[in-house]
Amino acid sequence: MDRIAELQSIASQVRRDIVRQVHACQSGHPGGSLGCADFLTALYFEVMDHDPAFQMKGKNEDVFFLSNGHISPVWYSVLARAGYFPIDELKTFRQLNTRLQGHPTTHEGLPGIRVASGSLGQGISVAIGMALAKKMDGDPKNIFVLTGDGELQEGQVWEALMFAAHNKVDNLIVTVDVNGRQIDGDTDKVLSLGSLEAKFSAFGWEVIHMQGNDMQKVVAGLQQAKSQTGKDKPVVILMATEMGYPVDFMVGSHKWHGVAPNDEQLASALAQLPETLGDY
Amino acid sequence: MFNNFEVKGKKATRDGFGDGLFEVGQNNDQVVALTADLLGSLKMNKFADTYPDRFFQTGIAEANMMGIAAGLATAGKIPFTGTFANFSTGRVYDQIRQSIAYSHKNVKICASHAGLTLGEDGATHQILEDLGLMKMLPGMTVINPCDYNQTKAATMAIAEHYGPVYLRFGRPSWPIFMPENEFVIGKGILMKSGSDVTIVATGHLVYTAMEAAKELESEGISVELINIHTIKPLDEEIILDSVSKTGCLVSCEEHQRHGGLGDSIAQLLCRMHPSPMEYVAVNDSFGESGEPEALLIKYGLGKENIVAAAKKAIQRS
């Protein structure tokens, strides 16, 4: 099996984990999680140099922050499958006394999480702080952060974008999950984002476009982004995804942003997602 | 009467912060500092000029500053953020709550121009709710020193303490009476023993309370005065020991009655030693422009207000 096929196979299992987590507790956010499964799989299994033994300070390793914390099911699955904590713990998602809180936190000490997220718009700022610390310490590794597109409506994001360009934070790769949807509907209807390419360019960022539900293109896009680091400009990947991809009844609607499938829908979704690494 | 606390000149508490920050920077190369376009007002120039690689100017973007501080702390740095108290708390409450407090980040939120004594800029900037906002956050240490020396010592002490801290100080030049280099987080200071009434004061009002105590003593009323620089965790022992002796208490703070030091003490007394208590604090009101001392008097935080409150507390006990 070639490497891309291996990664696709992991992503398929991650997607099974996502719908099963959300189904088991009848809450959570499957849509954005499914759409970002290829990206997070590529990041943790191919692109980032990271250590599942986990140290909070992230010295001499690449570090990832999830700013849109509501897509925690995909991150939890990828972290577990990458060896950060027992895969079986995915059963506890959103249950009382779990380390897998509805939105990611450091509070219960879950390995892989460095800051709480859920209240939107804060992740890029935190990532900048860690990127600055890496520069101060002469650590050549990079900081990755994922944000939603609806999340860009938060003002703090634009404060962070200005700061990163002004201060040449060029060890930072922001990926925007451009799925065009948010809780209340399409981003174009709720509050139009306009041209993200023009906006990021005007803010002084290096802009890369990437198809986010094609593993080959995700890996190539992330490698391209890495090659653009260290050139005095922060890097943004505008990643086109489909919320809910590839589950047929979830794709193409904002309605699966934060709704759990019932038993029948779970069976239908799982039938479309091959079990590759064994269910937990 | 206050032999160990003689007034030796005047300086602003924010100068104590600036000088303390510079010394902390000398002692520990992991200390970094950030400001949101208030470098001079926070007296951070000396640190910024000496350690330009450890200083970050975020522009007028406080939310981003708090997030960056959280990220720096994640990597093991010890960030000190500096802006006005209003912009250090209310403006960025959610950033502090999620990225700093809930995430257990070792960030020192340093806030100047708190309270009425900010003066002429008026109510938009005179935050009187910040102690309450910050003390409600789980795990947050809240400190409100009273003079230049105590602010400088507190700045140095919080660098050695692991965990999020809110350090509140102010703008005006204010009498200096505390010893240098003495600060233990969470430990109140007995400034004067007495038997008729306990006065507990924090921040600028410690000096005002000393003046009130002198007047009360001249009228034959014996005052025990406690300087509470750490609002949270509160030194419960020093307060209960004192009230067990005097039987009544007056709290003094440059803050709203709701949610400040007085409320913390009232909770303590309710649980452990119910006693008559009077508040010297702002009574559910915004401030306004004016000179600091005139504002304190208009809003009921003057020496005479403390004297009257003490007499009332004694009468009720």
Side-chain angles (χ1 to χ4, degrees):
Chain A
M1 199 191 285
D2 70 9
R3 185 61 186 149
I4 295 299
E6 279 175 17
L7 293 169
Q8 285 168 333
S9 159
I10 298 168
S12 181
Q13 187 66 49
V14 165
R15 288 188 159 101
R16 286 181 72 87
D17 292 349
I18 291 166
V19 289
R20 293 181 71 237
Q21 285 176 81
V22 173
H23 171 264
C25 62
Q26 282 297 296
S27 71
H29 298 78
S33 295
L34 288 166
C36 291
D38 301 302
F39 169 76
L40 275 158
T41 299
L43 206 55
Y44 275 83
F45 287 88
E46 182 66 16
V47 177
M48 284 205 308
D49 178 7
H50 65 105
D51 182 3
F54 187 64
Q55 39 114 358
M56 178 59 82
K57 292 180 182 174
K59 298 272 185 226
N60 298 309
E61 61 176 325
D62 292 327
V63 165
F64 172 74
F65 290 101
L66 181 70
S67 189
N68 47 335
H70 56 277
I71 67 165
S72 56
V74 62
W75 198 19
Y76 292 154
S77 170
V78 167
L79 286 172
R81 297 282 171 186
Y84 278 81
F85 56 85
I87 294 166
D88 212 40
E89 203 169 336
L90 295 175
K91 283 179 188 160
T92 69
F93 175 61
R94 287 187 171 233
Q95 308 284 351
L96 193 63
N97 299 321
T98 186
R99 298 196 293 178
L100 279 61
Q101 291 288 302
H103 294 81
T105 83
T106 59
H107 201 258
E108 288 75 20
L110 186 68
I113 315 290
R114 291 191 168 86
V115 71
S117 60
S119 175
L120 296 173
Q122 302 186 28
I124 301 175
S125 301
V126 177
I128 289 170
M130 199 140 188
L132 293 172
K134 279 204 181 296
K135 281 178 173 281
M136 291 168 75
D137 293 342
D139 177 343
K141 300 296 183 186
N142 292 313
I143 307 291
F144 293 83
V145 55
L146 178 64
T147 168
D149 52 357
E151 181 173 8
L152 301 181
Q153 291 158 359
E154 290 282 5
Q156 182 181 347
V157 170
W158 303 92
E159 296 180 1
L161 298 187
M162 262 193 281
F163 180 95
H166 178 87
N167 290 282
K168 300 183 168 59
V169 185
D170 57 6
N171 53 347
L172 174 67
I173 299 172
V174 171
T175 299
V176 182
D177 176 20
V178 186
N179 60 25
R181 312 201 193 280
Q182 56 192 110
I183 299 184
D184 277 356
D186 292 351
T187 50
D188 276 347
K189 286 190 180 158
V190 176
L191 183 66
S192 175
L193 301 168
S195 167
L196 290 179
E197 177 171 11
K199 285 190 163 88
F200 275 93
S201 293
F203 272 71
W205 284 58
E206 182 67 29
V207 181
I208 291 170
H209 291 273
M210 183 173 93
Q211 175 51 248
N213 294 133
D214 176 325
M215 189 60 81
Q216 191 141 16
K217 289 180 178 168
V218 171
V219 171
L222 282 167
Q223 299 294 9
Q224 186 195 345
K226 266 178 83 170
S227 74
Q228 291 296 326
T229 57
K231 296 182 178 176
D232 286 351
K233 285 170 83 173
V235 180
V236 63
I237 301 171
L238 299 178
M239 176 175 75
T241 70
E242 279 276 10
M243 189 180 267
Y245 184 86
V247 178
D248 56 8
F249 62 89
M250 290 187 176
V251 167
S253 165
H254 68 273
K255 290 184 181 139
W256 288 94
H257 170 94
V259 176
N262 60 27
D263 293 352
E264 199 179 320
Q265 289 162 332
L266 174 70
S268 168
L270 291 178
Q272 301 172 48
L273 301 167
E275 182 179 349
T276 52
L277 303 175
D279 287 339
Y280 57 84
Chain B
M1 187 179 305
F2 290 105
N3 292 337
N4 299 323
F5 304 100
E6 272 174 40
V7 173
K8 295 169 188 141
K10 286 173 93 173
K11 261 187 189 176
T13 49
R14 59 179 163 147
D15 286 303
F17 166 68
D19 290 346
L21 179 66
F22 175 67
E23 283 198 29
V24 158
Q26 282 182 312
N27 298 342
N28 188 339
D29 65 6
Q30 294 303 297
V31 168
V32 298
L34 306 91
T35 190
D37 200 31
L38 285 170
L39 175 66
S41 296
L42 269 285
K43 305 293 180 185
M44 297 167 90
N45 313 63
K46 207 166 166 188
F47 183 99
D49 292 345
T50 313
Y51 306 109
D53 296 340
R54 288 154 56 192
F55 184 78
F56 303 100
Q57 169 64 266
T58 69
I60 309 166
E62 295 83 5
N64 186 42
M65 176 170 74
M66 292 302 169
I68 291 175
L72 286 161
T74 304
K77 304 297 175 194
I78 307 171
F80 282 64
T81 66
T83 182
F84 289 167
N86 190 16
F87 314 137
S88 295
T89 57
R91 189 173 183 95
V92 290
Y93 198 64
D94 187 46
Q95 284 77 16
I96 293 173
R97 180 176 180 273
Q98 174 171 286
S99 294
I100 296 175
Y102 186 38
S103 296
H104 305 286
K105 298 305 178 196
N106 190 24
V107 175
K108 315 305 171 187
I109 301 161
C110 302
S112 185
H113 292 53
L116 293 169
T117 51
L118 157 70
E120 291 79 357
D121 277 349
T124 54
H125 288 52
Q126 290 162 341
I127 193 161
L128 296 163
E129 302 83 28
D130 54 327
L131 295 176
L133 284 168
M134 300 311 280
K135 82 178 191 186
M136 278 197 294
L137 289 170
M140 182 68 72
T141 296
V142 180
I143 298 174
N144 184 196
C146 65
D147 74 349
Y148 170 89
N149 284 344
Q150 197 174 59
T151 309
K152 185 178 173 190
T155 304
M156 299 179 72
I158 64 175
E160 302 293 321
H161 165 89
Y162 188 88
V165 174
Y166 178 61
L167 179 68
R168 177 210 221 217
F169 41 91
R171 176 176 182 267
S173 186
W174 209 251
I176 304 170
F177 48 89
M178 296 302 290
E180 292 179 42
N181 305 319
E182 279 183 26
F183 197 88
V184 180
I185 295 171
K187 194 93 186 112
I189 297 163
L190 183 64
M191 309 241 339
K192 178 191 172 308
S193 292
S195 54
D196 295 332
V197 60
T198 301
I199 299 180
V200 181
T202 190
H204 289 136
L205 290 203
V206 173
Y207 177 73
T208 317
M210 286 166 71
E211 294 293 293
K214 286 179 196 164
E215 184 166 324
L216 287 161
E217 292 280 346
S218 74
E219 295 179 30
I221 296 169
S222 172
V223 175
E224 180 139 312
L225 178 59
I226 298 169
N227 173 341
I228 288 285
H229 47 70
T230 307
I231 313 288
K232 182 187 170 187
L234 187 65
D235 185 347
E236 299 188 345
E237 193 182 345
I238 196 171
I239 294 169
L240 290 174
D241 283 353
S242 180
V243 176
S244 301
K245 186 169 58 173
T246 62
C248 62
L249 182 145
V250 175
S251 65
C252 312
E253 61 193 309
E254 200 182 344
H255 190 270
Q256 300 288 353
R257 281 189 190 185
H258 296 298
L261 170 66
D263 271 4
S264 291
I265 294 172
Q267 280 187 37
L268 173 69
L269 296 185
C270 266
R271 282 189 292 116
M272 305 299 290
H273 197 282
S275 315
M277 174 179 164
E278 293 293 326
Y279 286 72
V280 172
V282 175
N283 188 13
D284 200 26
S285 158
F286 290 102
E288 66 181 75
S289 293
E291 289 179 358
E293 305 224 13
L295 284 164
L296 290 179
I297 291 165
K298 174 162 178 177
Y299 286 86
L301 309 184
K303 177 181 81 171
E304 297 307 327
N305 303 99
I306 299 173
V307 167
K311 288 177 180 171
K312 194 171 170 192
I314 292 167
Q315 198 178 30
R316 289 173 56 208
S317 63

